[in-house]
Amino acid sequence: EEALEMVERELPFPAILGRLCSAQCEGNCHRKTIEGQAVAIRTLKRYVSDLAADVSSRIPAKAPESGKHCAVVGAGPAGMLAAFDLLVKGHAVTLYDAEQEPGGMLRWAIPAFRLPGEVLAAEWAKLKTLGVSFFGGQTLDRDISLQQLNDRHDAVIVAIGCPRPKHLGIEGEDADGVIHALDFLRQVRDNQRPQMGQNVVVIGGGDVALDAAQ
């Protein structure tokens, strides 16, 4: 409990980061030069957060209400973190997102074997306990405008992330049977069945490509 309290002083969602962080700090960890192995800080964060079942006991004390109300556009990791910081400082926060459920790419692009839905739900529950309001199905410039948000709130944070795939710009990219990884991962996470042939080629070697291949 003390270890988790220390982590959450600076990091409100350790169960997420403990699964998804690229752990670049471990590559330069000084302990490697002394004992040959880095501190497994990502795994340690996941370990202590998974042991803590009582979410309510992990909510920080809120500052007195400021009377200010902030809109955050985008309920992905950036929007969640912005909302958390604002709520703890005593501001009211309303999160708007184009999707009906919060989480952004955490919900729609990260496979469940890497980030189970119950883990995301538990981390989101911290924001609900702090008093966040959420409005889904609100696409910027279609369902709601920045001017409307400015009129309703004291401040607006735009945290829409990068939900669109990167296009190669080559011939045949839009041919039948070609699908971008983010679209594919979303269909899988949404319990759809993407049409795949017997032999599949994955172009790319990063996390998204590996998630698609797996």
Side-chain angles (χ1 to χ4, degrees), residues 105-153:
M105 301 294 275
L106 297 174
R107 180 180 296 276
W108 301 115
I110 305 296
F113 58 77
R114 284 222 291 147
L115 182 64
E118 57 268 23
V119 173
L120 177 59
E123 298 289 55
W124 173 254
K126 298 177 185 178
L127 293 174
K128 293 173 64 177
T129 302
L130 287 168
V132 73
S133 298
F134 174 74
F135 288 93
Q138 299 293 303
T139 299
L140 199 60
D141 280 343
R142 187 186 72 188
D143 304 297
I144 195 166
S145 69
L146 278 176
Q147 186 60 55
Q148 289 175 310
L149 294 175
N150 274 316
D151 293 341
R152 297 178 189 175
H153 305 279

Side-chain angles (χ1 to χ4, degrees), residues 37-180:
Q37 191 173 29
V39 175
I41 190 67
R42 174 182 58 193
T43 307
L44 287 170
K45 289 173 182 173
R46 174 175 175 173
Y47 175 73
V48 296
S49 62
D50 285 354
L51 285 181
D54 186 3
V55 174
S56 62
S57 66
R58 297 160 51 190
I59 303 302
K62 293 177 61 176
E65 292 187 9
S66 68
K68 301 294 185 180
H69 199 143
C70 182
V72 178
V73 183
M80 288 174 61
L81 187 57
F84 185 93
D85 288 343
L86 290 164
L87 289 163
V88 170
K89 292 181 184 298
H91 309 306
V93 177
T94 299
L95 265 171
Y96 297 87
D97 198 270
E99 303 293 345
Q100 294 294 338
E101 299 292 335
M105 301 294 275
L106 297 174
R107 180 180 296 276
W108 301 115
I110 305 296
F113 58 77
R114 284 222 291 147
L115 182 64
E118 57 268 23
V119 173
L120 177 59
E123 298 289 55
W124 173 254
K126 298 177 185 178
L127 293 174
K128 293 173 64 177
T129 302
L130 287 168
V132 73
S133 298
F134 174 74
F135 288 93
Q138 299 293 303
T139 299
L140 199 60
D141 280 343
R142 187 186 72 188
D143 304 297
I144 195 166
S145 69
L146 278 176
Q147 186 60 55
Q148 289 175 310
L149 294 175
N150 274 316
D151 293 341
R152 297 178 189 175
H153 305 279
D154 296 294
V156 179
I157 293 177
V158 179
I160 57 176
C162 187
R164 296 178 181 174
K166 185 176 182 179
H167 294 271
L168 295 173
I170 61 176
E171 184 178 355
E173 189 173 6
D174 57 352
D176 291 340
V178 178
I179 182 171
H180 288 279

Side-chain angles (χ1 to χ4, degrees), residues 154-207:
D154 296 294
V156 179
I157 293 177
V158 179
I160 57 176
C162 187
R164 296 178 181 174
K166 185 176 182 179
H167 294 271
L168 295 173
I170 61 176
E171 184 178 355
E173 189 173 6
D174 57 352
D176 291 340
V178 178
I179 182 171
H180 288 279
L182 289 180
D183 298 331
F184 169 76
L185 290 170
R186 166 146 195 158
Q187 291 180 37
V188 173
R189 193 70 193 257
D190 203 26
N191 294 318
Q192 300 180 35
R193 295 180 63 87
Q195 296 298 314
M196 295 285 110
Q198 293 298 313
N199 298 298
V200 179
V201 172
V202 178
I203 300 176
D207 289 338

Side-chain angles (χ1 to χ4, degrees), residues 6-55:
M6 179 179 291
V7 169
E8 290 189 331
R9 290 177 197 168
E10 302 294 337
L11 178 67
F13 307 122
I16 294 174
L17 198 71
R19 287 169 166 81
L20 304 182
C21 178
S22 59
Q24 297 178 32
C25 62
E26 295 182 21
N28 295 314
C29 181
H30 179 62
R31 189 172 181 270
K32 288 176 67 175
T33 64
I34 299 174
E35 299 190 19
Q37 191 173 29
V39 175
I41 190 67
R42 174 182 58 193
T43 307
L44 287 170
K45 289 173 182 173
R46 174 175 175 173
Y47 175 73
V48 296
S49 62
D50 285 354
L51 285 181
D54 186 3
V55 174

